[in-house]
Structures are given as C-alpha cells and as structure tokens.
Amino acid sequence: MRKLLIASYIIFSIGFVLKFLHIHYNAILMLAALALMLIVNVISLFNKQNRFNALIHFGVWTWLVVLLISIKFFNFANIALILAVAVSFLAFFMAYTNKKLIKLIPIIIVMIIALVFFNMPTDQKYYLLSIKWNSEIKTDYQSLDKYSWFLYQNNKYEEALDISNQAMDIAIKAENDEWTEFIIKHNKAIAKKNWKHFR
C-alpha cells in the first residue's frame, strides 16, 4: 500500500509540473493519481492499525483535490475546501490525542500550496499555469483568448484588449476562421465592456 501511495504522489507531482509547461493530459495524470490515493486510503481506513496514517493521507488527498480544482478553474472549489478543512481538523485532533503532531507536516505543506493557488487572482493564476512557460504561446491563440477573459474579469480592460488583439492576429494568420470569429466577438465585448460569458 505504501508503494502505491508513493507512486500516486509522484504521478500527481508529474501532472502538476506538466500543467505549468502546458503539456496535454496533465489533468488525467492528476486525476488518476487522486483516484489511486483514494482507493488506497479507503482500504487503509478499514485497517485499525493503519487508520491514523490513512486519515493523514486522506487529509493530504483532500487538499490535493482543492489544488486540482483551483488550477483547473472549476466552480465547486468551496465545497472541496470545506471538506479539506473538516478532514484536517479531524486529523489534527487525532494527532494531538496520540501526541503525533509531527505527522501533520505533509497536510500542512500541501494545504499551504493549495491555499496559495486557491486565493491567487484568476488572471495571475492562468498566466502562471498556461502562459508563462508555454513554449507554444506565440501561436496559441486559444490560451491567449482565455487569458484575456480572466484579465477582463479582474477589471484589467486595457491588458485584456491587448492580449485579445494578439490572439486575434495569431488566429487570422493561422487561417482558423471559426476561432477568428470567436475571438473577434470577445474583442468587441471587451471594448464595449459587456463580456458576460467566455463561451
């Protein structure tokens, strides 16, 4: 079981790093790792001797879920956060009761990382995850268009329009009529300040 847990943490970490590099299938790797962790932890919870360690790892799992939801910009991050806090409180209580507070270190580390991304402004987060180290950014009009959306949401209208113009130019050069029309619509919405939905 321990080897499976270690393997799942490694797989999640690889997926997380690949997300920064804008390499495809990073979310699949992270989801697979979380599924493996969950299975191992549920099995371990039924073993009385491993129950405390399983709870610690389950606490780590909940914060990794918060992290994944945050970096994928899903809408139900608050639910995951409540679950993570609840499990962490339970783990803290058991660690305090058993005088094993040092066991909480993995939860605390992952919690800090998850909360940093959870609280980061969406435009900064998207830039960090999908723009900064994206080796294809000079031709990636889709990512630039989405980046303009997050900038717009955070009232950075001039930056949003500038990025949208870049995305439009690239899409026109790529001769992708569908995306060009899509970006032009967004571009006009930014200029008029009435962009309601990304799609």
Side-chain angles (χ1 to χ4, degrees), residues 167-194:
M168 187 167 57
D169 291 342
I170 296 168
I172 290 169
K173 287 176 184 176
E175 298 181 350
N176 188 324
D177 295 336
E178 184 182 349
W179 264 94
T180 299
E181 185 179 340
F182 192 55
I183 294 169
I184 288 172
K185 184 176 74 173
H186 290 166
N187 193 277
K188 289 178 179 177
I190 295 170
K192 294 178 181 177
K193 296 184 180 178
N194 65 350

Side-chain angles (χ1 to χ4, degrees), residues 21-178:
L21 301 175
H22 205 64
I23 295 173
H24 301 300
Y25 307 114
N26 56 78
I28 293 173
L29 281 176
M30 288 186 278
L31 283 169
L34 288 172
L36 181 59
M37 279 181 224
L38 183 61
I39 292 167
V40 171
N41 287 331
V42 168
I43 292 170
S44 298
L45 283 171
F46 286 100
N47 186 330
K48 194 173 182 179
Q49 291 180 333
N50 293 329
R51 194 166 292 164
F52 175 67
N53 285 332
L55 180 62
I56 296 296
H57 288 292
F58 188 61
V60 171
W61 180 86
T62 59
W63 285 109
L64 288 176
V65 169
V66 172
L67 177 60
L68 178 61
I69 290 172
S70 296
I71 66 176
K72 296 303 290 184
F73 299 92
F74 294 143
N75 293 325
F76 45 93
N78 288 333
I79 298 171
L81 181 64
I82 291 168
L83 175 63
V85 170
V87 173
S88 298
F89 269 119
L90 181 59
F92 175 81
F93 176 76
M94 288 192 68
Y96 181 78
T97 303
N98 291 285
K99 297 181 179 179
K100 293 181 179 179
L101 289 174
I102 196 167
K103 291 273 190 177
L104 295 173
I105 290 175
I107 292 180
I108 293 169
I109 291 171
V110 179
M111 177 182 70
I112 291 169
I113 295 169
L115 287 175
V116 165
F117 281 93
F118 182 86
N119 291 297
M120 190 181 294
T122 52
D123 61 302
Q124 292 179 24
K125 184 163 47 178
Y126 191 81
Y127 175 79
L128 189 64
L129 293 167
S130 299
I131 305 293
K132 188 174 176 65
W133 291 288
N134 183 348
S135 60
E136 300 174 342
I137 196 59
K138 291 183 180 179
T139 58
D140 191 354
Y141 47 84
Q142 295 180 30
S143 291
L144 287 171
D145 182 52
K146 196 163 187 181
Y147 181 39
S148 71
W149 164 246
F150 288 119
L151 286 166
Y152 180 86
Q153 282 188 314
N154 288 288
N155 303 319
K156 297 178 181 178
Y157 302 121
E158 289 185 14
E159 286 183 62
L161 192 59
D162 181 53
I163 296 297
S164 182
N165 288 334
Q166 290 179 42
M168 187 167 57
D169 291 342
I170 296 168
I172 290 169
K173 287 176 184 176
E175 298 181 350
N176 188 324
D177 295 336
E178 184 182 349

